[in-house]
Each structure stands twice: as C-alpha cells, then as structure tokens.
Amino acid sequence: MVVSLLKLPFKLLALPVVLAVTIAKWVGVFLTSFAGVLFYIFSGLCFVLAILSYLMGISTDAEAIRMLAIGFVVFVLPFIAGWVIGMVAALDEILWDFIRS
C-alpha cells in the first residue's frame, strides 16, 4: 500500500511521456511504412540501372559498383528505421507496464 502511494506521483508524471512516446511510435510506423515502399522502388531502379548500364557498356565497373552500393544503402534504410521503431515500441511497453503496476 505504501509503495503504491509512493509510485503514484511518478506514474502521473510518466503519463504524458507515455502518450508522447505512443504517438511517436504510431507516426514512426506510418512514415517508415510509406518511405519503405518508396525506398524499395528506388533501390530496385538503382539495381536495374547498374546492371543494364554495365552490360550495355554505358558505365565502367566502378560506376556500376557505386550504383549497386547506393541501391543497397537505400534498401537497408527502412530496416534500420524499423529497428529504431522497435526500440521506441519497447520503451512504450516498459512505460505502460510501469503505469499499470
């Protein structure tokens, strides 16, 4: 009983933080999903252009490898953003558990 009374002010202070983190998580998931589609299309175009320009002799080996590297970096960015959103979601769950305890 005493511990619950001691936690009450901290729970009240944590409530706005939890709401802000929850909204940030929702916005992050939306933006990551939307940007992921665009990034996948762009990375696919980079890949196709790199292969075709190399096969047709338009670009050198180094230019084709640079285009492939750019396509790979653009392809990986949504996965990194998803990892960050996962960390925000874990923080959100921790805060909700603290408030419910």
Side-chain angles (χ1 to χ4, degrees):
M1 181 70 180
V2 174
V3 176
S4 297
L5 289 175
L6 291 175
K7 282 186 177 180
L8 185 62
F10 295 113
K11 289 180 181 183
L12 291 174
L13 289 174
L15 190 59
V17 175
V18 170
L19 294 175
V21 170
T22 302
I23 290 171
K25 178 181 74 170
W26 291 342
V27 169
V29 167
F30 173 74
L31 291 177
T32 302
S33 301
F34 183 71
V37 171
L38 297 177
F39 281 18
Y40 294 149
I41 291 170
F42 181 70
S43 65
L45 286 174
C46 284
F47 176 76
V48 169
L49 286 175
I51 298 297
L52 290 178
S53 65
Y54 178 72
L55 290 177
M56 293 181 185
I58 297 171
S59 66
T60 63
D61 298 343
E63 291 171 342
I65 290 173
R66 261 186 260 140
M67 283 191 280
L68 287 173
I70 290 170
F72 178 74
V73 168
V74 170
F75 179 77
V76 170
L77 284 176
F79 291 104
I80 294 170
W83 178 79
V84 171
I85 296 299
M87 293 295 114
V88 172
L91 175 64
D92 187 42
E93 281 298 316
I94 290 169
L95 290 172
W96 275 114
D97 287 342
F98 172 70
I99 289 177
R100 283 186 233 142
S101 67

